Amino acid sequence: MEYIFELHKTMLSRHLILVYEGEFTQEVTKSVLAMAERNMDSFGEQSSIKRKVFNVMVESLQNIVKHSDDVKSDDNKTLHSAIFMIGKSDTDYIITSGNPVKNEKVATIQQRLEKINSLDKDGLKSLYRDIITNAEISDKGGAGLGFVDMARKSGNQLEFSFKPINQDYSFFSLKTSVSRS
């Protein structure tokens, strides 16, 4: 029972207002968004801030649903585990997600995020227009706009890391901050 108290203390110290870990589906995504919206409403958050946070949350959750890879356990069971968290400080909302990806995708994702982080506001706008004009929809339903949109809406760089799970998969963590002012 001690772990419940430890988890509670961790959530309080990290200012986490919502944490979901498990399989992500469109239905789970809708529920998570609804809970986060209720939380922001209860704080009396400004509608312009709520829109930015909501947009970043939608992109983050869609990234998990569409692009998370299933990892096989040692006994050949499929694991669908991903995580989504939202935290609130005096100055920011912090949207964090994590999901497994195949190691063969790591370099491509990292290059895309580094390119996005290297651009200023006008550069992001130009890249966004370029993707809309020239991109094709992938098999999983994306055109590559999600990360760009997250950077544009948040006005901040996207923090990310990849931690090896095994020889085939890494855990991709993504953090986006949205200013409350």
Side-chain angles (χ1 to χ4, degrees), residues 86-139:
I86 182 167
K88 175 183 158 276
S89 71
D90 291 338
T91 58
D92 298 295
Y93 280 98
I94 296 94
I95 298 99
T96 310
S97 63
N99 57 276
V101 295
K102 291 183 179 174
N103 285 335
E104 62 202 40
K105 296 180 182 178
V106 169
T108 303
I109 296 168
Q110 185 168 346
Q111 288 170 358
R112 181 176 294 152
L113 289 167
E114 287 172 350
K115 178 179 181 176
I116 290 166
N117 282 342
S118 73
L119 299 173
D120 63 8
K121 187 177 179 179
D122 290 335
L124 288 169
K125 187 175 181 180
S126 177
L127 178 60
Y128 187 87
R129 271 197 238 119
D130 185 52
I131 292 171
I132 285 179
T133 305
N134 300 317
E136 295 180 16
I137 305 298
S138 73
D139 295 340

Side-chain angles (χ1 to χ4, degrees), residues 7-16:
L7 179 59
H8 179 70
K9 287 190 330 188
T10 299
M11 288 184 68
L12 288 174
S13 70
R14 302 241 181 214
H15 308 286
L16 297 174

Side-chain angles (χ1 to χ4, degrees), residues 24 29 34 47 58 98 119 153:
F24 281 76
T29 297
S47 59
V58 166
L119 299 173
K153 294 294 193 252

Side-chain angles (χ1 to χ4, degrees), residues 162-175:
F162 297 92
K163 300 288 183 205
I165 296 173
N166 59 33
Q167 67 209 28
D168 298 316
Y169 296 93
S170 290
F171 195 78
F172 169 46
S173 300
L174 180 65
K175 177 180 165 185

Side-chain angles (χ1 to χ4, degrees), residues 61-80:
L61 289 163
Q62 284 182 345
N63 182 60
I64 293 172
V65 170
K66 290 181 181 178
H67 302 293
S68 184
D69 290 314
D70 295 335
V71 177
K72 297 283 186 188
S73 66
D74 292 337
D75 56 354
N76 210 30
K77 290 183 181 174
T78 301
L79 307 174
H80 305 282

